[in-house]
Amino acid sequence: MLRSAIKTGVHSSYLNPMALSRSNIAISLIDVGHCSRVFSTSIVSKSSEVNPKNKPKRVLPLAQSKYESKSYKLPKWKESLGEFVISTLHLDMDKVRAGPIAGSYYYDICRKQGLQVEGEELSPSAHYFYDTLKLPRTFSQWFQITALHEWMLFTRMRAMPFKYGRNYQQKLVDRTFSDIELRLFDEMNIHSGRIVDQYLKDFDTQLKGAVLAYDEGFYSDDSTLATAIWRNLFAGRKNIDISLLEDVVKYVRSQIYIMSRLSDREFATGKFNFVLPPETVKKLSPEEELQRKKNVIEKYEQLEKSGLMLPSERSGLSYSN
């Protein structure tokens, strides 16, 4: 079964919570093609299916592991033991961060862009996609929104050293399908493993095709990118407002621009988050870019010379690129 072939995402034995807290990583792919097999069941309104006598289910957390909870704090003795092990075994912390840690963090910031929680107001980003762009509030549409943001992350991950960048991408995909499987069973109330496997295969097929579509648009021109967005995010709907497509293209270009200005070390330690759709991004002048890079270099040089950096905070990734 496909479910057993997909890695289960973050497991407590792989996590290094110390690296998360000290690197500002809060535990929390791309575009999807138009596929008739993807169901359009609403993820908000299910009144016709819910017995009023039963208490409605809440949306499951990102994962069941307590180590992915933002409120979890590692006991001091475990923290000290972890730092000792990292130092003694000379663990490659860049490789550790490129594993399930990165998969969970970057999946979370993608997942919540279009996430809807029953009984709660939409987030600013979800409001933009569902109200401003007038996209349907369905599970498949959530997947498309999530996929678009993950593809944007892919463009930055590919620019990292290959042995790390490849792992970042793989763990992001693993974490995505692990969470989708949970949501299909528990949130969408699908009880057949065979049906869930079929949906996972469909999403996987869409994922692969979408990467090519968005990549072509990204490396070509805005009109090609707009076409890819229209075919996937808007599901090829007719008579849509062209200004909305233009707006999404600007949104995508802005996010990628911000990531391109981050060094490998900044990106790897979770210094990136998506800019909210209503906000505008102003490009830096050459002088401003030079000054920013200088400030980043000085910051990390002072940190490394201070001797205060813990083993879990160490990194060999460049902070000057």
Side-chain angles (χ1 to χ4, degrees), residues 214-231:
Y214 277 137
D215 280 349
E216 181 184 12
F218 176 67
Y219 290 109
S220 299
D221 49 45
D222 285 350
S223 61
T224 307
L225 180 58
T227 300
I229 292 171
W230 170 71
R231 291 174 58 190

Side-chain angles (χ1 to χ4, degrees), residues 169-185:
Q169 296 177 73
Q170 183 60 56
K171 295 304 179 183
L172 180 52
V173 174
D174 291 345
R175 194 66 191 86
T176 298
F177 281 92
S178 175
D179 191 56
I180 288 177
E181 180 185 356
L182 282 176
R183 298 186 68 191
L184 289 175
F185 274 117

Side-chain angles (χ1 to χ4, degrees), residues 19-35:
L20 302 185
S21 59
R22 292 190 172 83
S23 301
N24 294 326
I25 297 184
I27 287 295
S28 20
L29 221 180
I30 105 241
D31 179 1
V32 296
H34 182 55
C35 179

Side-chain angles (χ1 to χ4, degrees), residues 69-137:
S69 171
K70 295 180 181 180
S71 62
Y72 178 77
K73 187 175 182 180
L74 192 70
K76 287 294 183 182
W77 71 269
K78 287 187 178 181
E79 185 175 330
S80 300
L81 178 61
E83 298 291 354
F84 173 77
V85 171
I86 294 171
S87 178
T88 302
L89 300 181
H90 303 287
L91 298 181
D92 183 351
M93 287 307 301
D94 291 317
K95 185 176 181 180
V96 173
R97 294 189 194 97
I101 291 176
S104 285
Y105 172 71
Y106 284 116
Y107 172 60
D108 181 54
I109 66 174
C110 293
R111 174 183 185 264
K112 67 184 182 183
Q113 299 304 315
L115 185 64
Q116 306 174 67
V117 179
E118 191 171 3
E120 297 184 11
E121 294 185 2
L122 293 176
S123 66
S125 59
H127 172 76
Y128 170 76
F129 288 106
Y130 297 121
D131 294 339
T132 303
L133 299 183
K134 297 179 175 57
L135 298 175
R137 299 188 182 189

